Amino acid sequence: MIKACIFDLDGVLVDTAHYHFLAWKRLAKEFDYELTEEINEELKGVSRMKSLEIVLKHANVSLENQKKELLADRKNGWFTEFVHNMNPNELYPGVRELFSRLRRDNIKIALASSSKNAQTIIEILGIQNEFEAVVDGTMIVHSKPDPEIFLLAASKLNLSPADCVVFEDAEAGVEAALAAGMKCVGIGNPMKLKEANRVVNAIQNFNYSDLQKI
Ligand code: BG6
Ligand code: MG
């Protein structure tokens, strides 16, 4: 019996994954490196610093830590500019409906995002009160694909991992959910998210009656 749904944020509840992509692409250009959507898949779900390291590796650039911190801050400045221009209408279609069905059935709702901007984003979207537990990038040591973030969410909900289903758009996130001993619904491309127990191309296409059958 599923007792909780744990949602990733960027790319699952809202299209901030695209804003991350645009900001990384802009940074990569400074090294004459053209970041593609394909390579961007590797950046999804992982921490800001880890994402930067992946970009630099592909661009064949090696830098000292202090310089890396500066670049990560620059990228975050561009990303947060997008975020502050967002409005509640950017919440993906189907999210509010899914939340209200879960609440009606007494299934808990949690957020587990690697982003240190998650709290700001959910406040801008006006969904901060929807969650019984919020875990973000400021609260964890190891980001996805490590299961830490999902295990922390389950413990905040007082549930065991087997009671939880995770909704994820990142390969690293699917891996983390399964490593935590949870079921996982992939949001996106089934070729990329093939380890997930179910995959839909958008959260609004998740069939609610499937939840207890995953
Ligand atoms: C994840 C995104 O949710 O958060 C990653 O999928 C991002 O692309 C990571 O790098 C960290 O986000 P932030 O906002 O802390 O830089
Ligand atoms: Mg995501």
Side-chain angles (χ1 to χ4, degrees):
M1 170 87 185
I2 293 304
K3 297 181 185 156
C5 289
I6 304 177
F7 294 90
D8 172 51
L9 175 64
D10 298 317
V12 169
L13 301 181
V14 63
D15 197 10
T16 35
H18 186 62
Y19 298 147
H20 279 295
F21 174 57
L22 295 178
W24 285 124
K25 202 174 167 62
R26 180 169 172 184
L27 193 79
K29 264 223 164 77
E30 298 192 353
F31 299 100
D32 284 328
Y33 175 67
E34 195 60 45
L35 181 68
T36 61
E37 302 249 11
E38 178 72 25
I39 299 293
N40 184 57
E41 289 299 317
E42 295 175 33
L43 311 182
K44 290 185 179 174
V46 303
S47 70
R48 192 181 307 165
M49 192 45 78
K50 179 78 192 154
S51 299
L52 174 64
E53 283 163 359
I54 295 170
V55 172
L56 293 176
K57 187 189 80 193
H58 284 291
N60 248 320
V61 174
S62 128
L63 296 171
E64 58 189 29
N65 283 346
Q66 213 182 350
K67 179 77 181 151
K68 286 201 277 187
E69 296 287 348
L70 284 174
L71 292 178
D73 284 353
R74 279 245 311 288
K75 178 268 172 181
N76 192 51
W78 297 325
F79 176 71
T80 50
E81 244 173 71
F82 287 122
V83 164
H84 287 288
N85 284 315
M86 280 170 58
N87 67 70
N89 293 334
E90 290 185 49
L91 196 67
Y92 275 140
V95 172
R96 285 185 205 285
E97 293 77 0
L98 178 56
F99 284 174
S100 57
R101 296 185 87 166
L102 291 169
R103 242 192 321 277
R104 185 197 64 194
D105 293 345
N106 281 320
I107 296 172
K108 293 181 177 176
I109 302 171
L111 186 82
S113 166
S114 305
S115 173
K116 294 182 174 161
N117 294 295
Q119 193 61 46
T120 308
I121 295 171
I122 60 176
E123 279 167 25
I124 290 174
L125 294 171
I127 55 170
Q128 71 274 31
N129 297 325
E130 303 276 358
F131 306 102
E132 262 166 87
V134 171
V135 185
D136 68 23
T138 66
M139 304 173 190
I140 50 165
V141 180
H142 307 289
S143 84
K144 302 164 189 176
D146 190 283
E148 180 183 353
I149 194 162
F150 293 125
L151 293 173
L152 184 57
S155 96
K156 282 185 169 226
L157 294 170
N158 277 318
L159 291 174
S160 56
D163 298 330
C164 305
V165 171
V166 168
F167 288 73
E168 255 299 344
D169 70 315
E171 287 177 67
V174 173
E175 199 181 323
L178 300 181
M182 299 177 181
K183 293 284 188 329
C184 188
V185 176
I187 309 290
N189 181 345
M191 305 290 276
K192 295 260 175 258
L193 305 175
K194 48 187 175 304
E195 306 297 328
N197 303 92
R198 289 273 192 294
V199 181
V200 289
N201 61 357
I203 200 159
Q204 66 178 334
N205 294 328
F206 175 67
N207 186 352
Y208 187 75
S209 58
D210 269 358
L211 187 67
Q212 298 298 343
K213 297 183 219 145
I214 292 172

